[in-house]
Amino acid sequence: MYLFGASGHGKVIAEIAEACQVKIDGFIDADTSKLKLLDYEVIHQLPRDAVEVIITIGDNATRKQVAIQNKFSTYSKLIHPSAVVSKRVKIKAGTVVMAGAVINSDTQIGAHCIINTNASVDHDCIIEDFVHISPNVALAGGVTIGEGTHVGIGASIIPGVTVGKWCTIGAGAVVIEDIPDGATAVGIPAKPIKFANR
Ligand SMILES: CC(=O)SCCNC(=O)CCNC(=O)[C@H](O)C(C)(C)COP(=O)(O)OP(=O)(O)OC[C@H]1O[C@@H](n2cnc3c(N)ncnc32)[C@H](O)[C@@H]1OP(=O)(O)O
């Protein structure tokens, strides 16, 4: 497996692959000053034999751009052995579930998502493509997170709330009502402070 993105996030994903005993062929990164990360070589072009790739880029929009540009690769998914994932959860290709995460029954996770360390995603949630659920986030039952949204570290979202597409939820926020597309929302209770159009 190749890891696309020689970053700190890439290091964490490499160690998940190691924990899963998945062979790492190396990192791919456009930055030619990067030659090695952890014990692995960094190459600067997608090799012809790159049959299995995970995009190890933390920024959701950049991850999507890379996924679109390299659509002929086969994307893998990785789930840390310490994560607890219900057998009734569906997870699409390219997604990584990190150490200690818990994902409960009938939740759906899209493609190229990050379910970060110790995140808790409860039953019947819908997590669309290119979402990042940061460390120690708690999503209650029936929460929907729209494409490309980043839920910041330690945020909590109460049952049934829908967060729109390409939102940012601030670190430590408590979300108690729906958040519209493109909003950055912070605080307790979380309120939008700005909007971006993508
Ligand atoms: C393993 C890993 O590292 S995973 C990565 C996890 N990363 C995160 O969780 C990052 C989350 N990011 C944040 O919380 C950021 O502060 C953001 C995205 C919400 C806002 O960032 P910016 O757009 O740069 O906004 P900025 O810093 O200018 O703050 C704007 C206002 O919101 C306030 N604010 C920013 N973040 C928060 C927050 N989390 N909670 C409450 N208020 C906040 C600021 O104090 C500021 O208030 P003011 O206008 O009264 O001075």
Side-chain angles (χ1 to χ4, degrees):
M1 173 188 294
Y2 283 93
L3 305 180
F4 198 123
S7 59
H9 179 59
K11 289 199 260 187
V12 179
I13 293 178
E15 290 187 344
I16 296 172
E18 289 171 348
C20 294
Q21 299 185 324
V22 171
K23 180 175 173 283
I24 298 169
D25 296 303
F27 285 91
I28 304 164
D29 199 297
D31 183 346
T32 52
S33 69
K34 294 180 178 175
L35 300 174
K36 205 163 183 200
L37 191 65
L38 303 178
D39 309 320
Y40 304 104
E41 188 190 0
V42 181
I43 58 171
H44 308 108
Q45 277 188 323
L46 199 64
R48 285 190 190 162
D49 64 343
V51 289
E52 268 190 285
V53 173
I54 291 217
I55 305 172
T56 51
I57 295 171
D59 179 73
N60 294 342
T62 310
R63 202 163 63 256
K64 180 174 183 179
Q65 203 181 2
V66 168
I68 290 168
Q69 283 167 354
N70 298 281
K71 55 184 173 238
F72 297 116
S73 301
T74 299
Y75 293 110
S76 310
K77 58 186 168 193
L78 279 175
I79 299 173
H80 193 282
S82 69
V84 178
V85 180
S86 158
K87 66 182 181 186
R88 296 179 179 86
V89 165
K90 292 193 174 75
I91 301 179
K92 289 192 179 162
T95 285
V96 177
V97 179
M98 296 193 170
V102 177
I103 309 177
N104 280 340
S105 191
D106 282 339
T107 278
Q108 298 170 41
I109 313 266
H112 302 286
C113 291
I114 304 162
I115 310 298
N116 219 314
T117 310
N118 277 333
S120 172
V121 179
D122 224 292
H123 62 89
D124 300 297
C125 289
I126 297 173
I127 311 291
E128 295 182 355
D129 298 345
F130 304 106
V131 162
H132 178 183
I133 305 293
S134 292
N136 286 320
V137 163
L139 304 187
V143 167
T144 297
I145 307 291
E147 181 186 312
T149 283
H150 177 202
V151 182
I153 195 162
S156 301
I157 304 185
I158 69 166
V161 163
T162 294
V163 177
K165 298 176 191 301
W166 300 101
C167 293
T168 303
I169 304 300
V174 177
V175 182
I176 63 167
E177 59 190 14
D178 292 355
I179 303 292
D181 290 352
T184 294
V186 302
I188 303 175
K191 298 287 178 196
I193 54 167
K194 56 186 167 185
F195 289 88
N197 293 319
R198 285 187 193 267

